[in-house]
Amino acid sequence: MRFWIWFLIPLGLILSLSEPDRGQRKVVTDEQAAPLVAHVDSHLTTIWKAKALEPAPEVDGLTLMRRLWLDLLGTTPSLAEIRAFEAVPAGERQGWLIEQALADERFDSVLAERLARIAVGGQDTKMGDLIYRRRRLVSWLTGQVRRNRPWDSLVRELIQSEGLSTDTPAVNFTISQDSNPVKLAARTTRAFLGLRIDCAQCHDHPFTRWKQADFEGLAGFYARVRQNLAGVREAETGELEFQLPSETVLGMTMSPAEAPQDAAHADAAEVDSDTKLVIKAPFGQPVLLVPGKERDKSVKSRTVAPKVPFSPELLPEKPSRRAALAEWLTHAKNPFFAKALVNRFWSWLLGAGLVEPVDELDTTLPTDPALLQLLADRFVASGFDLKTLVRAIVSTRAYRLDSAPAVAGPDYDWDEASESYALRMLKPLRGDQLAAAVLQSGSLRPYDQHRAPLLRFANFTQRNEFTRRHGDDLSLEEAQDETLLQRLHLLNGKVVREITKDGEPFSPVTRLPLLAPTDMAAVDAAFLITLTRRPTPGEAKPYLERLGAAAKGDARSRVMADLLWTLLNSTEFAWCR
């Protein structure tokens, strides 16, 4: 047994014994999602007929399984799970797959991570910040998802929470933006409304209706937020102030490293002998004056009152400004709140949103406005039920379509087909998905809630290390196309090398030749644990010949090691179709 396993045993036991009780888990039923599924299928069928589009054929069961596992569980199916699936009667397999994926506790963690990426991005730490606790936030979100807490309720808590980042994990939303009113307003509108109102923070937006006053009014709701070592709180007084253009901010007793976004907005900055930052505001671009920081009283400024940019009738009277903003933001009649989330989930599960980019609901026309409105209306009617929405989308016919049509001639309109969801978009795996898939390929059983806590913790540690080295842009919700460095990491990385190393007693390289009754069964299993499909005769032939010629166990292991290495480094492995 490797030394690191012995090292992790005490820590794994501690973590397994100290895991908090997250309450009763809720799984939504097919009956809850069925009405929306029927409406979506009927709507898309009508669209396809109107545009004379022949939708792609539906994928086979194994392809659907890989798709569901990667989307909802963040990894590929294990050989044990595939065997269980193939034991289900053919007519029941589709429903069985959806039930299994949604009932798996890994789904809660994946959905929680998805919500965290929406709210705060993907970076676990911030340079020089010892207070921010993103992993604590994800753990808290996992508990909320487990009980299927409504999205509007979750967002309200994220926006208005007070306390320490450890005791009250929801405050990490505020801390992630340095408790800065301008940053908080920008993140709030992009994450929860799908709007880029922050593009108007310097001047009126040239292409949309947003004015500078609209953005500053939203920032005004965060003017009384205070953060220190005691946590986040809301002061009873305090207003948002902006320096008038062409003035100079003097006497700010902090170093440049401590300065907030002022330095980023400045066209010149220098430090005098007293280490007081001097910032000249560029023309037409006001600089936020830091609440509670001393400054030259001769500096001219203007005070900004909190104000919402639309639907003011939805803004309630509340003692707390953030509480009022949270109620307005999540109101059932807010025209953007539900649309922003359903568009993001559609993009996540179908490969392309109804509006792309997902935070441009104000500037980009939906490819299907009626479908976006249908999804949003049903989401509101369900009480902002996240799991029902996910279940409905993965149950639609559009989710089951192949990534290529049955017949694609020179006149086939790929853009029209993809915009009408008549075929499935190919999706590159994110770094965390790729890491989980690689590690799962090294085991015949799933790393799920039934696995030993120590092994799950070791898997978690290796996944994090792989993801870090893979170098994804963690600020993005979706993966970008693979880079050369990422491909080289997969080719030469430590994890793939260890999985495909012969001589390891628990590795599939050693176990498959021993457990499989025939050479063909061993090759089949290698394809199943990596690509979740069986090989074609042409793919299997060279390895069957090599296995047949390799009489000894060690030689057969080397053949399987070559096969697994090839499959793990194939382009197909790094994509979801």
Side-chain angles (χ1 to χ4, degrees):
M1 186 179 289
R2 296 175 184 165
F3 77 93
W4 56 265
I5 294 183
W6 290 110
F7 174 76
L8 291 173
I9 285 176
L11 183 57
L13 290 174
I14 291 172
L15 291 174
S16 64
L17 293 173
S18 61
E19 185 174 352
D21 180 14
R22 292 175 173 173
Q24 184 65 36
R25 186 170 191 270
K26 182 178 179 181
V27 179
V28 298
T29 64
D30 184 56
E31 289 74 19
Q32 291 171 270
L36 179 54
V37 176
H39 278 85
V40 172
D41 284 350
S42 174
H43 174 83
L44 288 177
T45 299
T46 301
I47 294 294
W48 296 335
K49 288 181 178 178
K51 295 183 176 182
L53 286 170
E54 181 66 28
E58 294 189 19
V59 296
D60 60 66
L62 285 175
T63 302
L64 180 60
M65 186 179 196
R66 178 181 173 87
R67 186 178 292 179
L68 282 166
W69 259 238
L70 283 168
D71 282 342
L72 303 187
L73 305 184
T75 187
T76 48
S78 68
L79 188 61
E81 291 170 313
I82 292 172
R83 299 302 189 209
F85 161 71
E86 293 184 326
V88 176
E92 302 173 12
R93 288 181 175 180
Q94 177 185 312
W96 184 89
L97 285 174
I98 294 174
E99 294 291 344
Q100 291 297 309
L102 294 174
D104 196 305
E105 291 191 6
R106 289 175 290 179
F107 170 57
D108 297 336
S109 300
V110 169
L111 184 51
E113 173 61 30
R114 172 67 46 174
L115 299 180
R117 280 181 176 261
I118 292 171
V120 299
Q123 199 74 39
D124 275 335
T125 58
K126 297 195 310 175
M127 185 68 69
D129 192 334
L130 300 178
I131 300 176
Y132 182 49
R133 293 289 183 271
R134 185 184 185 276
R135 291 187 183 179
R136 185 74 179 90
L137 174 64
V138 174
S139 178
W140 174 77
L141 283 171
T142 302
Q144 307 308 304
V145 168
R146 179 183 175 84
R147 295 188 289 272
N148 200 24
R149 185 175 176 183
W151 178 235
D152 60 331
S153 176
L154 268 175
V155 172
R156 285 195 293 271
E157 184 161 356
L158 288 171
I159 289 175
Q160 64 189 23
S161 286
E162 299 184 14
L164 291 168
S165 58
T166 50
D167 295 341
T168 313
V171 302
N172 283 288
F173 169 72
T174 301
I175 295 172
S176 73
Q177 306 304 310
D178 304 318
S179 298
N180 181 293
V182 169
K183 292 182 180 180
L184 283 165
R187 191 73 196 186
T188 297
T189 52
R190 290 206 181 200
F192 306 130
L193 295 179
L195 305 176
R196 295 192 178 189
I197 300 181
D198 56 305
C199 291
Q201 64 179 290
C202 304
H203 48 73
D204 293 345
H205 200 298
F207 307 119
T208 67
R209 61 179 175 172
W210 310 123
K211 307 297 182 185
Q212 187 178 19
D214 294 329
F215 177 77
E216 291 179 352
L218 283 170
F221 285 96
Y222 292 105
R224 295 177 179 177
V225 175
R226 301 291 182 267
Q227 175 186 325
N228 52 37
L229 293 177
V232 173
R233 65 181 179 86
E234 184 155 350
E236 295 182 359
T237 60
E239 302 297 337
L240 192 62
E241 288 183 87
F242 284 94
Q243 179 190 345
L244 294 177
S246 300
E247 294 291 337
T248 301
V249 181
L250 297 172
M252 297 174 67
T253 54
M254 55 181 161
S255 69
E258 296 172 327
Q261 85 287 358
D262 301 60
H265 287 320
D267 61 355
E270 60 184 42
V271 181
D272 64 15
S273 58
D274 296 324
T275 68
K276 295 179 180 180
L277 191 65
V278 179
I279 299 179
K280 183 176 177 59
F283 176 74
Q285 188 172 344
V287 174
L288 173 67
L289 298 181
V290 184
K293 295 291 184 181
E294 293 183 6
R295 64 176 184 274
D296 189 337
K297 294 182 179 180
S298 66
V299 170
K300 297 177 182 179
S301 65
R302 55 187 170 83
T303 301
V304 174
K307 181 174 71 72
V308 293
F310 56 85
S311 303
E313 69 280 2
L314 304 181
L315 184 67
E317 290 287 339
K318 291 279 187 178
S320 163
R321 289 182 176 182
R322 285 189 297 156
L325 176 64
E327 291 289 343
W328 170 83
L329 188 81
T330 61
H331 198 287
K333 293 184 178 179
N334 188 309
F336 295 105
F337 180 66
K339 286 181 181 178
L341 194 281
V342 300
N343 184 55
R344 275 185 156 93
F345 274 26
W346 190 267
S347 177
W348 161 34
L349 298 169
L350 271 296
L354 293 155
V355 176
E356 289 285 352
V358 293
D359 56 2
E360 288 190 3
L361 292 180
D362 53 340
T363 58
T364 305
L365 291 176
T367 55
D368 192 334
L371 179 56
L372 180 59
Q373 191 64 56
L374 169 64
L375 291 167
D377 289 344
R378 292 287 176 150
F379 185 46
V380 173
S382 73
F384 299 97
D385 189 319
L386 293 166
K387 287 187 175 180
T388 295
L389 178 63
V390 172
R391 179 167 194 138
I393 294 176
V394 300
S395 299
T396 61
R397 183 185 176 192
Y399 186 81
R400 300 192 300 273
L401 296 182
D402 204 340
S403 299
V407 179
D411 297 329
Y412 187 81
D413 193 334
W414 287 91
D415 290 336
E416 184 68 43
S418 61
E419 288 180 1
S420 302
Y421 303 98
L423 49 76
R424 157 86 171 199
M425 299 292 291
L426 285 169
K427 298 194 301 182
L429 301 190
R430 296 191 316 272
D432 56 327
Q433 289 176 308
L434 191 60
V438 169
L439 290 166
Q440 183 57 71
S441 298
S443 175
L444 305 184
R445 291 178 51 209
Y447 286 102
D448 61 7
Q449 60 271 23
H450 303 298
R451 204 72 181 264
L454 173 62
L455 293 178
R456 278 188 286 152
F457 180 75
N459 178 268
F460 171 79
T461 303
Q462 288 180 293
R463 281 203 326 265
N464 284 347
E465 177 63 16
F466 182 101
T467 304
R468 184 185 67 80
R469 290 181 177 276
H470 190 67
D472 267 358
D473 185 347
L474 297 178
S475 66
L476 302 176
E477 292 175 41
E478 301 298 341
Q480 300 299 292
D481 290 346
E482 188 180 40
T483 66
L484 177 60
L485 287 178
Q486 289 171 339
R487 172 52 55 176
L488 290 173
H489 173 234
L490 194 61
L491 285 166
N492 305 307
K494 176 182 177 182
V495 175
V496 172
R497 188 169 63 250
E498 288 188 349
I499 287 176
T500 58
K501 180 180 178 182
D502 58 340
E504 293 287 343
F506 299 108
S507 166
V509 167
T510 304
R511 297 183 67 189
L512 289 181
L514 294 175
L515 298 176
T518 65
D519 290 347
M520 187 65 224
V523 174
D524 262 358
F527 272 78
L528 288 172
I529 64 176
T530 52
L531 305 183
T532 324
R533 67 170 177 86
R534 288 181 167 78
T536 65
E539 290 171 329
K541 182 180 178 181
Y543 292 98
L544 290 175
E545 292 175 349
R546 289 183 61 190
L547 284 171
K552 295 183 179 180
D554 289 346
R556 290 169 61 80
S557 293
R558 283 194 291 273
V559 175
M560 293 304 299
D562 288 346
L563 174 56
L564 280 173
W565 188 92
T566 301
L567 295 175
L568 289 172
N569 284 288
S570 66
T571 301
E572 183 179 350
F573 182 80
W575 287 75
C576 177
R577 70 178 186 90

